[in-house]
C-alpha cells in the first residue's frame, strides 16, 4: 500500500498487532511519521532496515540482507521512530532546528505520555508511563547508542 496507507486502514486492523515498514526513502519515512502522529493511540511497532530505498531494491541487491530483515527483524517503538525521524530531518546544527526538535519532543512527552508510553515499554527499569522513558530513548538516539 505504501504511502496510500491511511487511518482508515488502521481502523480496519485495530485489533491486530501492527508493524509498519514503508519505503526507506524520504516519502516513505515521512508517511510513516505522519501516520504515527495521526494515530497516537495505536500501538505501532516499526520494522527498520537499511541498504536500499525499498524492499525490491534490497532483494535485487542483496538477497541475504533481504532475508535477514525478516529472519532477524529490528523492531522499534513508534515514539522511538518519531524521535529518529526528527533527528534525521531537522538540522540540529542550527538553533532553529534544535528548538524545533525539542519542541516536538516536548509535545510527544506532554501530549502522549499515557497513550504512547503504556504501549511501548523498553528494556529499562522505568515504569511504562514515565518521562524518563522518552529521555532514555532521546539520549540513546542522539548519542548513537541504539544500534539499529
Amino acid at each position: 500500500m505504501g504511502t496510500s496507507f491511511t487511518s482508515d486502514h488502521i481502523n480496519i486492523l485495530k485489533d491486530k498487532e501492527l508493524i509498519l515498514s514503508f519505503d526507506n526513502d524520504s516519502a516513505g519515512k515521512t508517511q510513516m511519521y505522519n501516520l504515527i502522529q495521526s494515530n497516537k493511540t495505536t500501538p505501532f511497532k516499526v520494522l527498520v532496515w537499511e541498504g536500499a530505498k525499498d524492499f525490491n531494491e534490497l532483494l535485487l541487491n542483496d538477497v541475504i540482507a533481504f532475508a535477514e530483515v525478516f529472519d532477524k527483524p529490528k523492531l522499534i517503538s513508534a515514539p522511538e521512530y518519531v524521535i529518529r525521524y526528527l533527528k534525521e530531518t531537522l538540522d540540529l546544527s542550527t538553533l532553529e532546528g534544535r528548538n524545533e526538535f525539542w519542541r516536538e519532543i516536548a509535545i510527544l512527552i506532554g501530549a502522549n505520555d499515557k497513550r504512547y508510553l503504556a504501549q511501548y515499554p523498553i528494556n529499562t527499569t522505568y515504569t511504562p508511563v514515565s518521562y524518563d522513558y522518552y529521555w532514555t530513548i532521546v539520549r540513546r538516539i542522539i548519542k548513537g547508542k541504539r544500534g539499529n
Side-chain angles (χ1 to χ4, degrees):
M1 283 190 219
T3 57
S4 65
F5 191 79
T6 67
S7 296
D8 293 333
H9 297 104
I10 291 169
N11 287 332
I12 293 167
L13 301 169
K14 65 184 173 190
D15 297 331
K16 308 290 183 210
E17 179 182 29
L18 296 177
I19 300 174
L20 300 178
S21 187
F22 291 172
D23 284 355
N24 215 16
D25 60 7
S26 178
K29 290 177 180 182
T30 299
Q31 176 64 13
M32 188 154 8
Y33 169 79
N34 291 335
L35 191 64
I36 290 168
Q37 290 295 76
S38 63
N39 294 279
K40 293 177 177 159
T41 60
T42 305
F44 294 117
K45 292 182 183 167
V46 178
L47 175 66
V48 294
W49 49 280
E50 299 171 359
K53 68 178 174 95
D54 59 32
F55 283 125
N56 184 55
E57 184 178 290
L58 185 62
L59 177 61
L60 293 173
N61 293 340
D62 190 345
V63 174
I64 294 172
F66 178 81
E68 286 181 354
V69 167
F70 300 101
D71 289 341
K72 301 173 188 171
K74 295 177 184 176
L75 298 175
I76 62 172
S77 67
E80 186 167 349
Y81 181 85
V82 167
I83 294 167
R84 285 180 179 208
Y85 177 84
L86 293 171
K87 182 183 174 200
E88 183 179 308
T89 58
L90 296 174
D91 183 358
L92 299 181
S93 68
T94 68
L95 179 59
E96 293 82 13
R98 289 190 302 273
N99 284 342
E100 179 66 13
F101 177 82
W102 290 112
R103 187 184 73 74
E104 290 291 326
I105 297 302
I107 291 169
L108 187 70
I109 291 169
N112 304 310
D113 203 34
K114 291 179 183 172
R115 290 186 283 184
Y116 262 4
L117 292 176
Q119 299 170 24
Y120 298 108
I122 55 176
N123 296 328
T124 69
T125 57
Y126 301 124
T127 58
V129 181
S130 165
Y131 288 107
D132 291 341
Y133 172 88
Y134 282 107
W135 295 119
T136 298
I137 293 172
V138 169
R139 281 193 299 269
R140 286 180 183 166
I141 292 171
I142 290 176
K143 293 180 181 181
K145 293 187 176 181
R146 185 89 171 162
N148 296 336

